[in-house]
Amino acid sequence: MTRSACLILGICMKTLYLDYAATTPVDPAVAEAMTACLTMDGNFANPASRSHRFGWQAEAAVEKARRQVADLLAADPREIVWTSGATESDNLALKGVVEYLRSHDPGRRCHIISSCIEHKAILDTLKWLQQQGVDVTLLSPDADGLIHPQQVADALRDDTVLVSLMAVNNELGTVTDIAAIGALLKSHAALLHVDAAQAVGKVACNVNVWGADLVSLSAHKFYGPKGVGALYVRRQPLAHVAAQMHGGGHERGMRSGTLPTHQLVGMGEAAALAAANFEADVIKLSALRDKLENALLDLGGVYVNGHRQQRSPAHMNLSFDGLDGEILLASLAQVAVSSGSACTSASVEPSYVLKAIGRSDALAHAGLRFSLGRFVTDEDIDFAIEHVSRVVKALRK
Ligand SMILES: *Cc1c(COP(=O)(O)O)cnc(C)c1O
């Protein structure tokens, strides 16, 4: 079926959204808070305007949001730097650390440890840093998609300045033992950066338990708006990062640009909701995910990609024996899922993450990521089981 035929059919067919790891819809409560920060009768002013009431009100709203995001991480509000999303936060963390060190010692040797299953926002930034003379070690996951603390310990060198690992893998949902890695870095000068874009609302995010110096967040992965994120920057001891965006000196000089009040208020509200609903969300998501997964495993010839226990409750990545992922994806007209990550779904290359855990080209091509979220119901899961089972059986005939 062509894409346009799918689109025409899609208009009159129910389609269930199971791609929450690509992005989430904005929660209605978040949308309401954002709407109140746009128009003349709302909180529209420039938060940096110090000379009038309008500016003070916008600043108060931004500072409330800063506290909400800080609370989510058990951080201090002064440790939150607003950005445009996790891509920018990742860039600021990685480039910022190297640039700060080199600005004080131009000949400084810099080594960074990361993994080959990181998001492209990390991998492409590391590639760029390599061209600037930075030495990079990319750790490989085991067959379950896990990076082990011992691998980090073994890769540490005197010139290691940064370890950057994701808390939850976006494709597999596998959870990295960040706290153990933070603990072993206590006796080393290297900073710890955590890409936590997929972690909020799914695993506990606490910068002190993690021992993290820098943490990237993205609002649109947890029911906030797209185009806004944050970088947590530890104050004690201070994690130094050089600004990548100059002009105006906002965000304590680390990220200039007029603060988008509506975006930040949206992210703050979303953070408060994520924190308040954390336990209930995890219980609900894992029950629904397990129900869907067990039913699809019953089809036979279905493999779970990634560790089944050490995993986000919202993620599920399956390979279907004997089926091409692209054809399966196109045939699943009534459930919106993704093959690999959203960022790589434009290319027909097998997922680099599935290849890294040792899946053959065929099984890597046959991988599908289902990701659940706040608005999925038990009836939706019944619908998904019925639809996916029917399509898989028909394609296998
Ligand atoms: C989505 C995502 C990003 C990019 O976040 P944006 O806010 O969309 O730039 C980075 N890292 C991970 C792990 C992600 O899931």
Side-chain angles (χ1 to χ4, degrees), residues 21 84-87 90 119 121 166 168 170 195 197-198 218 220-221:
S84 62
T87 300
D90 288 347
H119 191 274
M166 61 206 324
V168 171
N170 48 306
D195 181 338
Q198 292 286 337
S218 173
H220 77 90
K221 301 290 173 66

Side-chain angles (χ1 to χ4, degrees), residues 79 186 189 191 211-214 232-240:
E79 297 176 308
K186 279 229 160 66
L191 298 178
D213 300 290
L214 300 157
Y232 159 82
V233 181
R234 182 172 288 282
R235 276 169 64 87
Q236 275 173 344
L238 182 61
H240 288 284

Side-chain angles (χ1 to χ4, degrees), residues 26-341:
V26 171
D27 191 281
V30 170
E32 196 180 322
M34 292 177 69
T35 307
C37 299
L38 291 168
T39 52
M40 189 74 216
D41 57 349
N43 204 351
F44 70 90
N46 189 330
S49 293
R50 311 312 288 262
S51 56
H52 50 69
R53 201 168 59 82
F54 299 99
W56 304 332
Q57 273 174 8
E59 187 191 24
V62 166
E63 292 315 308
K64 179 185 170 191
R66 197 187 296 280
R67 177 167 293 281
Q68 287 170 317
V69 171
D71 285 348
L72 178 74
L73 299 174
D76 184 294
R78 293 170 294 176
E79 297 176 308
I80 302 300
V81 173
W82 299 118
T83 66
S84 62
T87 300
E88 186 189 334
S89 300
D90 288 347
N91 272 265
L92 176 55
L94 272 51
K95 294 175 184 168
V97 164
V98 170
E99 198 181 313
Y100 175 84
L101 291 172
R102 286 188 168 169
S103 70
H104 289 78
D105 176 4
R108 174 101 183 209
R109 279 167 43 230
C110 293
H111 172 240
I112 297 179
I113 299 171
S114 187
S115 90
C116 63
I117 56 168
E118 298 299 304
H119 191 274
K120 287 288 184 185
I122 295 290
L123 292 176
D124 288 354
T125 304
L126 288 174
K127 243 184 239 165
W128 186 84
L129 283 168
Q130 274 178 312
Q131 288 163 6
Q132 315 303 311
V134 173
D135 227 356
V136 174
T137 300
L138 294 182
L139 305 174
S140 294
D142 67 13
D144 286 326
L146 299 178
I147 303 289
H148 295 278
Q150 189 57 45
Q151 292 175 271
V152 176
D154 293 344
L156 271 177
R157 312 190 324 207
D158 288 344
D159 61 347
T160 307
V161 295
L162 182 69
V163 174
S164 176
L165 291 167
M166 61 206 324
V168 171
N169 182 272
N170 48 306
E171 286 196 40
L172 304 171
T174 41
V175 177
T176 312
D177 189 351
I178 298 292
I181 292 161
L184 72 87
L185 289 179
K186 279 229 160 66
S187 52
H188 194 287
L191 298 178
L192 175 59
H193 168 250
V194 180
D195 181 338
Q198 292 286 337
V200 175
K202 291 148 212 159
V203 300
C205 299
N206 183 314
V207 292
N208 301 314
V209 172
W210 279 346
D213 300 290
L214 300 157
V215 177
S216 298
L217 297 179
S218 173
H220 77 90
K221 301 290 173 66
F222 58 93
Y223 311 95
K226 291 175 236 325
V228 60
L231 180 67
Y232 159 82
V233 181
R234 182 172 288 282
R235 276 169 64 87
Q236 275 173 344
L238 182 61
H240 288 284
V241 292
Q244 301 300 306
M245 188 79 85
H246 304 98
H250 305 74
E251 300 300 282
R252 283 155 288 125
M254 277 182 272
R255 204 284 193 175
S256 289
T258 301
L259 294 178
T261 311
H262 63 299
Q263 298 286 75
L264 307 181
V265 162
M267 183 166 182
E269 201 61 34
L273 282 175
N277 299 329
F278 179 67
E279 276 90 8
D281 280 353
V282 166
I283 291 170
K284 179 191 137 170
L285 287 169
S286 49
L288 293 178
R289 192 271 315 275
D290 290 347
K291 178 176 168 177
L292 178 57
E293 186 167 87
N294 288 328
L296 296 183
L297 288 176
D298 284 346
L299 293 171
V302 180
Y303 305 93
V304 177
N305 298 311
H307 198 278
R308 286 192 76 182
Q309 278 76 45
Q310 201 170 325
R311 186 166 52 149
S312 138
H315 286 72
M316 168 175 118
N317 193 312
L318 302 178
S319 284
F320 296 80
D321 216 0
L323 294 181
D324 181 90
E326 290 301 315
I327 292 171
L328 180 54
L329 200 61
S331 310
L332 287 176
Q334 291 186 270
V335 273
V337 296
S338 99
S339 69
S341 72

